[in-house]
Amino acid sequence: MAEPLPDLIQEIVSDNSTDDTGAVLDAIVSQDDVAVATLLESVPVEPRLSLWQDLPSERKLDVLVEMRSDPREILIDATEEEEWSALFSDIEAEELLELMDSLPNRLVDLAYAELDAQQQTFFREATQFNDDQVGHWLTHDLLVLPLNAKVRDGLRLIRRNVPRHCDTIFLVNRSGQFSAVVRLTRIFGSPEHVPLVELIEENIPVLKGSDESTNASLQVQRSGFAALPVVDDSNKLLGRLDITSASELINEFYERQVMATAGMDEDEDLFSPVAKSARNRAVWLGINLLTAFLASWFIGLFEATLQQVVALAVLMPIVASMGGIAGSQTLTLIVRGLALGQVTKANTRALMVKELKVGGVNGVIWALIIGVVAYFWFTDVLIGVVICLAILFNIVAAAIAGVFVPVILDKLKIDPALSGSVILTTVTDIVGFVAFLGLGTLFLL
Amino acid sequence: MAEPLPDLIQEIVSDNSTDDTGAVLDAIVSQDDVAVATLLESVPVEPRLSLWQDLPSERKLDVLVEMRSDPREILIDATEEEEWSALFSDIEAEELLELMDSLPNRLVDLAYAELDAQQQTFFREATQFNDDQVGHWLTHDLLVLPLNAKVRDGLRLIRRNVPRHCDTIFLVNRSGQFSAVVRLTRIFGSPEHVPLVELIEENIPVLKGSDESTNASLQVQRSGFAALPVVDDSNKLLGRLDITSASELINEFYERQVMATAGMDEDEDLFSPVAKSARNRAVWLGINLLTAFLASWFIGLFEATLQQVVALAVLMPIVASMGGIAGSQTLTLIVRGLALGQVTKANTRALMVKELKVGGVNGVIWALIIGVVAYFWFTDVLIGVVICLAILFNIVAAAIAGVFVPVILDKLKIDPALSGSVILTTVTDIVGFVAFLGLGTLFLL
């Protein structure tokens, strides 16, 4: 069995003695491409580059394909100019499509020139689509037969070669339009003279090249087939989306969601160079700073009040924080619903009502608890009343914002997973501070 | 083609006139199980229950299996006691395993009694494993032959029946121990008398029943096979983990990560009853409240300072907020790395160094910017200096906490995706407030 990844990371990171470099390298090379890619992403830049130098040339392209963009680009930058021709010698359209965003244009051109005519066509076809469309991620290894083919023809085709993750033969009509699908397993059991049209699958979903890739990938995952056919607008067969590509697209989609909550993207490198990483994150910090200054400006409106009732300054963060947490719960639920297509125009209203009720219940409960604690802390009934009302108000506002912010962002085609939380927190901060300090000014001065 | 989901949601939610109920129901029933499950999750409880009543009995179990636990339990509670025998009449072990956490014990017993002896064995075997272990999620439809079988035997087996997502025959020795794997596609092309052992795959990963399910599922996804064999400690073949189950397990893993950032779990129902939803979220609000009170208590230590320099109260949230954002970026990166096995004991130190450098760079830049703005706002150099130092201090502290908090939680077997952010924010709030108000007390009083 292959050596576990943590041990290899340990050996690469800890080891500067060159005694058993050979042994470590052998252990690494014996891993599959994904494992080597993961390993390269898991070590700092220096050992990463030296490992990259030592990696057998014939593995390099396959490993690059499996890496995230950011760590990959470091290796691409460090690769000698004259090495590329060799690396590209066996490149295929699908690999170039995966790599092209990381490669400088001249290298894309160089790689393109290495493709044969067929692969060049595939590449050009795929680049007609955006990378969030199915057409960009097609597999072109197909089993295709004309509509009038028989089981005999099917068996002959299968005996020659069956591509990976391919469990069907596609039937096309004379003009190359997609017509139907036959499972390979139905062919094995049938007499040779039976026409394939008698064995076709009903109700198989057919994807379009222009379909959004995440939803299409979910369709593949749940179809029970290893791949679904993909056609263009005139029903011409373009290729298929197989379950490996579908799974990768879905994993990327989820990683994007997770990383977006902190204003990063899924390609962020664990060990990116400090300057690059600082720059990536600075944008998000800057946006946050603007909203924080905005909140402070609102607080500043109540300077006179704060000066007289310092307890307000002490308790202020509690109001903002409870609103932020309550809002982020609603937001997270709605963002997931939008991403999975479960939140639509039709049920937004019903969701709003439900979230308002949940916010109302939690608002009342926590407002009372916090009010009582604040009363005992500062032995002042009015402070208790003021924070109680402010909390209730802010949690309800958070529920409203938690539904509306992502729904509106989604309608504006802005990713709510990325910008939702920063807008929501701005709302709950400002509403919280203004409600609390405003009520404080009314009741306590 | 099937009617799109949003339209169906629209029709179910908006429509109380009963004119075309039949037509809507027909459109729903024509969808696949996952689509019906998604639809039921996407509508409020009342229409959900009425749709459930109308759903053909033979679809109900399959649809339940595809739903999330929370919305599913609402339907289970609403199902008439005498209906269950009929629903369970064709149940299989895998379905019962999926449902068992949502069912009351007496219903699990009822369903178990409906399984045949073979399925009961599968069920009992699976429940020996936890639901985060591969053994819990096995598929038992296998193509198995003895080690000495020939291509002829393989072809006979394939002609009889090939299960879904099955592209290999497993070879076992006389004592039922797993020995090797042959791809179906290699069998088609080979002469009938060739022994299968001559066609076996090298380097196919073999899973153990006790393996952690997410990592094992990733292995399946990247293996290029439709399923991987699963064995017990004595190498006896238990079943296989197919790519559909693997994909579902991975999707659930990612959903858990996304929802955990807001203190929820992946089974949260878009339209759960208000009481249940409020209760689910109250825990998280309560934990957050404790940490908010803790932060306030620290602020309270500086009441005298706040009274004299009200600008500190105005600027206070900026310090906490910048620390929180910077920390959550580091945290999110590390949590993902831990989940994917990329962050280990071996590289924690190197990560710490890198995050400290990134924090240092961003700390200095933003500290200076904020310091200058604060100086112009309050026309007081010392206020600028104080907030500048506090921001720098807090962003660096955030980097340290962003690495250590998740690593330590992970070592304590506590999910860092869930509790990481609340602990991190507590650290950055307290460090930020104490640094800012402490420095304010030193410089400004």
Side-chain angles (χ1 to χ4, degrees):
Chain A
M1 291 302 311
E3 197 170 352
L5 222 53
D7 296 355
L8 286 174
I9 297 175
Q10 174 73 50
E11 281 165 29
I12 299 168
V13 173
S14 67
D15 184 299
N16 288 320
S17 72
T18 45
D19 291 349
D20 56 353
T21 313
V24 174
L25 189 64
D26 286 348
I28 293 165
V29 172
S30 74
Q31 308 274 328
D32 66 28
D33 297 329
V34 178
V36 178
T38 307
L39 201 56
L40 283 165
E41 291 180 0
S42 307
V43 297
V45 174
E46 206 180 316
R48 184 188 291 170
L49 288 176
S50 94
L51 192 54
W52 179 245
Q53 303 294 356
D54 295 341
L55 205 65
S57 204
E58 68 276 14
R59 293 292 298 279
K60 285 189 171 178
L61 193 79
D62 296 332
V63 168
L64 276 187
V65 167
E66 300 297 342
M67 289 181 75
R68 294 197 171 82
S69 308
D70 281 7
R72 168 159 79 198
E73 281 161 22
I74 291 179
L75 300 184
I76 288 176
D77 290 345
T79 304
E80 302 283 339
E81 201 60 31
E82 55 274 20
E83 206 179 339
W84 284 111
S85 299
L87 293 186
F88 286 152
S89 62
D90 288 326
I91 195 168
E92 298 199 346
E94 285 170 42
E95 293 168 322
L96 182 53
L97 286 162
E98 182 67 47
L99 292 178
M100 62 182 288
D101 285 339
S102 305
L103 292 172
N105 282 339
R106 68 190 152 73
L107 288 183
V108 175
D109 294 341
L110 180 66
Y112 180 80
E114 293 285 339
L115 298 175
D116 65 28
Q118 170 83 91
Q119 292 285 321
Q120 287 186 344
T121 311
F122 292 155
F123 180 80
R124 281 198 312 272
E125 275 177 12
T127 51
Q128 314 265 307
F129 296 97
N130 295 328
D131 63 4
D132 62 350
Q133 293 182 311
V134 170
H136 202 84
W137 302 111
L138 297 185
T139 301
H140 294 96
D141 286 342
L142 305 176
L143 299 179
V144 182
L145 285 174
L147 249 182
N148 60 0
K150 299 214 157 75
V151 166
R152 175 185 312 121
D153 308 304
L155 288 170
R156 198 176 307 133
L157 188 65
I158 295 168
R159 282 197 199 104
R160 224 177 306 146
N161 177 35
V162 178
R164 290 212 161 180
H165 287 310
C166 182
D167 57 359
T168 51
I169 292 180
F170 295 157
L171 303 183
V172 295
N173 67 15
R174 278 152 196 267
S175 32
Q177 286 174 312
F178 169 80
S179 301
V181 159
V182 186
R183 272 189 198 274
L184 301 187
T185 51
R186 292 212 61 186
I187 296 177
F188 307 141
S190 304
E192 298 218 329
H193 59 83
V194 173
L196 289 180
V197 281
E198 291 182 12
L199 306 176
I200 61 178
E201 297 290 316
E202 308 290 339
N203 293 323
I204 183 170
V206 179
L207 304 175
K208 288 212 159 169
S210 55
D211 283 351
E212 194 277 319
S213 57
T214 308
N215 282 322
S217 298
L218 286 168
Q219 275 187 280
V220 172
Q221 270 194 355
R222 74 195 211 199
S223 69
F225 290 90
L228 291 179
V230 181
V231 300
D232 68 9
D233 287 333
S234 58
N235 210 30
K236 209 193 99 200
L237 186 63
L238 293 176
R240 61 196 180 99
L241 183 65
D242 73 19
I243 193 152
T244 303
S245 305
S247 298
E248 279 172 15
L249 287 168
I250 291 170
N251 294 359
E252 266 173 42
F253 157 78
Y254 277 118
E255 287 221 356
R256 217 155 43 230
Q257 297 258 315
V258 173
M259 298 299 277
T261 59
M264 293 185 285
D265 71 34
E266 80 275 19
D267 285 316
E268 177 83 15
D269 181 356
L270 211 47
F271 285 103
S272 63
V274 172
K276 181 169 184 184
S277 176
R279 201 169 51 235
N280 281 350
R281 301 192 198 173
V283 181
W284 195 241
L285 286 163
I287 293 171
N288 174 69
L289 180 60
L290 288 179
T291 73
F293 266 124
L294 190 64
S296 283
W297 183 80
F298 276 98
I299 299 173
L301 298 179
F302 300 93
E303 260 189 61
T305 309
L306 283 167
Q307 201 135 31
Q308 289 181 56
V309 193
V310 78
L312 293 178
V314 174
L315 293 171
M316 213 167 57
I318 294 178
V319 181
S321 155
M322 290 300 276
I325 295 284
S328 79
Q329 293 188 316
T330 303
L331 178 80
T332 304
L333 192 68
I334 303 291
V335 167
R336 180 183 69 169
L338 285 166
L340 300 178
Q342 296 195 295
V343 172
T344 70
K345 222 173 101 186
N347 57 11
T348 305
R349 218 187 112 91
L351 270 171
M352 187 76 259
V353 171
K354 175 229 162 190
E355 287 298 321
L356 270 178
K357 284 184 190 163
V358 175
V361 171
N362 267 320
V364 168
I365 293 172
W366 294 108
L368 288 173
I369 293 174
I370 295 168
V372 168
V373 173
Y375 159 67
F376 281 108
W377 187 350
F378 293 96
T379 55
D380 183 336
V381 175
L382 282 178
I383 286 195
V385 171
V386 165
I387 199 168
C388 175
L389 291 175
I391 291 275
L392 175 59
F393 198 74
N394 203 20
I395 289 185
V396 171
I400 299 173
V403 175
F404 276 135
V405 167
V407 166
I408 291 171
L409 287 173
D410 188 64
K411 211 166 276 172
L412 299 173
K413 311 263 177 228
I414 300 170
D415 180 11
L418 180 63
S419 21
S421 67
V422 84
I423 298 177
L424 178 97
T425 319
T426 311
V427 172
T428 53
D429 276 1
I430 292 174
V431 169
F433 291 139
V434 169
F436 186 50
L437 299 177
L439 287 167
T441 309
L442 276 177
F443 283 69
L444 298 168
L445 287 195
Chain B
M1 292 299 310
E3 196 170 350
L5 222 53
D7 297 354
L8 286 174
I9 296 176
Q10 174 74 50
E11 281 164 31
I12 298 168
V13 172
S14 66
D15 186 298
N16 287 321
S17 71
T18 46
D19 291 351
D20 57 351
T21 312
V24 174
L25 189 65
D26 286 349
I28 292 164
V29 172
S30 75
Q31 308 274 328
D32 66 27
D33 298 328
V34 178
V36 177
T38 307
L39 202 56
L40 283 165
E41 291 180 359
S42 306
V43 297
V45 174
E46 206 181 317
R48 184 188 292 169
L49 288 176
S50 92
L51 193 55
W52 179 244
Q53 304 294 356
D54 294 343
L55 204 66
S57 202
E58 67 276 15
R59 294 291 299 280
K60 286 189 171 180
L61 193 78
D62 296 333
V63 168
L64 276 186
V65 167
E66 300 296 343
M67 291 180 74
R68 295 197 170 84
S69 308
D70 280 6
R72 169 159 78 197
E73 282 160 21
I74 290 179
L75 301 184
I76 288 175
D77 290 345
T79 303
E80 302 282 339
E81 200 59 30
E82 55 274 20
E83 205 178 340
W84 283 110
S85 299
L87 293 186
F88 287 152
S89 62
D90 288 327
I91 194 168
E92 298 200 343
E94 287 170 41
E95 294 169 321
L96 183 53
L97 286 162
E98 183 66 48
L99 293 178
M100 61 183 288
D101 284 339
S102 305
L103 292 172
N105 282 339
R106 69 191 151 73
L107 289 181
V108 174
D109 293 341
L110 180 66
Y112 179 79
E114 294 284 338
L115 299 174
D116 65 27
Q118 170 85 89
Q119 292 285 321
Q120 287 187 343
T121 310
F122 291 156
F123 180 80
R124 280 197 314 272
E125 275 177 13
T127 49
Q128 314 263 305
F129 296 97
N130 295 328
D131 62 5
D132 63 349
Q133 292 182 311
V134 170
H136 202 85
W137 303 110
L138 297 185
T139 300
H140 294 95
D141 286 342
L142 305 175
L143 299 179
V144 182
L145 284 174
L147 251 182
N148 60 0
K150 300 214 157 78
V151 166
R152 175 185 313 123
D153 308 305
L155 288 170
R156 199 176 307 136
L157 188 65
I158 295 167
R159 281 197 200 105
R160 224 178 306 146
N161 177 36
V162 178
R164 290 212 161 180
H165 287 310
C166 181
D167 57 359
T168 51
I169 292 180
F170 296 157
L171 303 183
V172 295
N173 67 15
R174 280 154 195 265
S175 32
Q177 286 174 312
F178 169 80
S179 301
V181 158
V182 186
R183 271 189 198 275
L184 300 188
T185 51
R186 292 212 62 186
I187 296 178
F188 307 141
S190 305
E192 299 219 327
H193 60 83
V194 173
L196 290 180
V197 281
E198 292 182 13
L199 306 176
I200 61 179
E201 297 290 315
E202 308 289 340
N203 293 326
I204 182 170
V206 179
L207 304 174
K208 288 211 160 171
S210 55
D211 283 352
E212 195 278 318
S213 56
T214 308
N215 282 323
S217 298
L218 286 168
Q219 274 187 280
V220 172
Q221 271 194 353
R222 75 197 210 198
S223 69
F225 290 90
L228 291 180
V230 181
V231 300
D232 68 9
D233 287 331
S234 58
N235 211 30
K236 209 194 99 199
L237 186 62
L238 292 176
R240 59 196 182 99
L241 183 64
D242 73 20
I243 194 153
T244 303
S245 304
S247 299
E248 279 172 16
L249 286 168
I250 292 170
N251 294 359
E252 264 174 43
F253 158 77
Y254 277 118
E255 287 220 356
R256 218 156 40 229
Q257 298 257 316
V258 173
M259 298 300 276
T261 60
M264 293 184 285
D265 71 34
E266 80 274 20
D267 285 315
E268 178 83 14
D269 181 355
L270 211 47
F271 285 105
S272 63
V274 173
K276 183 171 182 180
S277 176
R279 203 168 50 234
N280 281 350
R281 300 192 199 172
V283 180
W284 195 241
L285 286 163
I287 294 171
N288 174 69
L289 180 60
L290 287 180
T291 72
F293 266 125
L294 189 64
S296 283
W297 183 80
F298 276 98
I299 299 173
L301 298 178
F302 300 93
E303 260 189 59
T305 310
L306 284 167
Q307 200 135 32
Q308 290 181 57
V309 194
V310 77
L312 293 178
V314 174
L315 293 171
M316 212 167 56
I318 295 178
V319 181
S321 154
M322 290 300 277
I325 294 283
S328 80
Q329 294 188 317
T330 304
L331 178 79
T332 304
L333 191 68
I334 303 291
V335 167
R336 179 181 71 168
L338 284 166
L340 300 178
Q342 296 195 295
V343 172
T344 68
K345 222 173 103 185
N347 58 12
T348 305
R349 218 187 113 92
L351 270 171
M352 186 76 258
V353 171
K354 175 231 164 189
E355 287 298 321
L356 269 177
K357 285 184 188 161
V358 175
V361 172
N362 268 319
V364 168
I365 293 172
W366 294 107
L368 288 174
I369 293 174
I370 295 167
V372 169
V373 173
Y375 159 68
F376 280 109
W377 187 349
F378 294 95
T379 55
D380 182 336
V381 175
L382 283 179
I383 285 194
V385 171
V386 165
I387 199 168
C388 175
L389 292 175
I391 291 276
L392 175 59
F393 198 73
N394 204 18
I395 289 185
V396 171
I400 299 173
V403 175
F404 275 135
V405 167
V407 166
I408 291 170
L409 287 174
D410 188 64
K411 211 166 277 172
L412 299 173
K413 311 265 179 226
I414 300 171
D415 180 11
L418 179 63
S419 21
S421 67
V422 84
I423 297 177
L424 178 97
T425 319
T426 310
V427 172
T428 53
D429 276 2
I430 292 174
V431 169
F433 291 138
V434 170
F436 185 49
L437 299 177
L439 287 166
T441 308
L442 277 177
F443 283 70
L444 298 167
L445 285 196

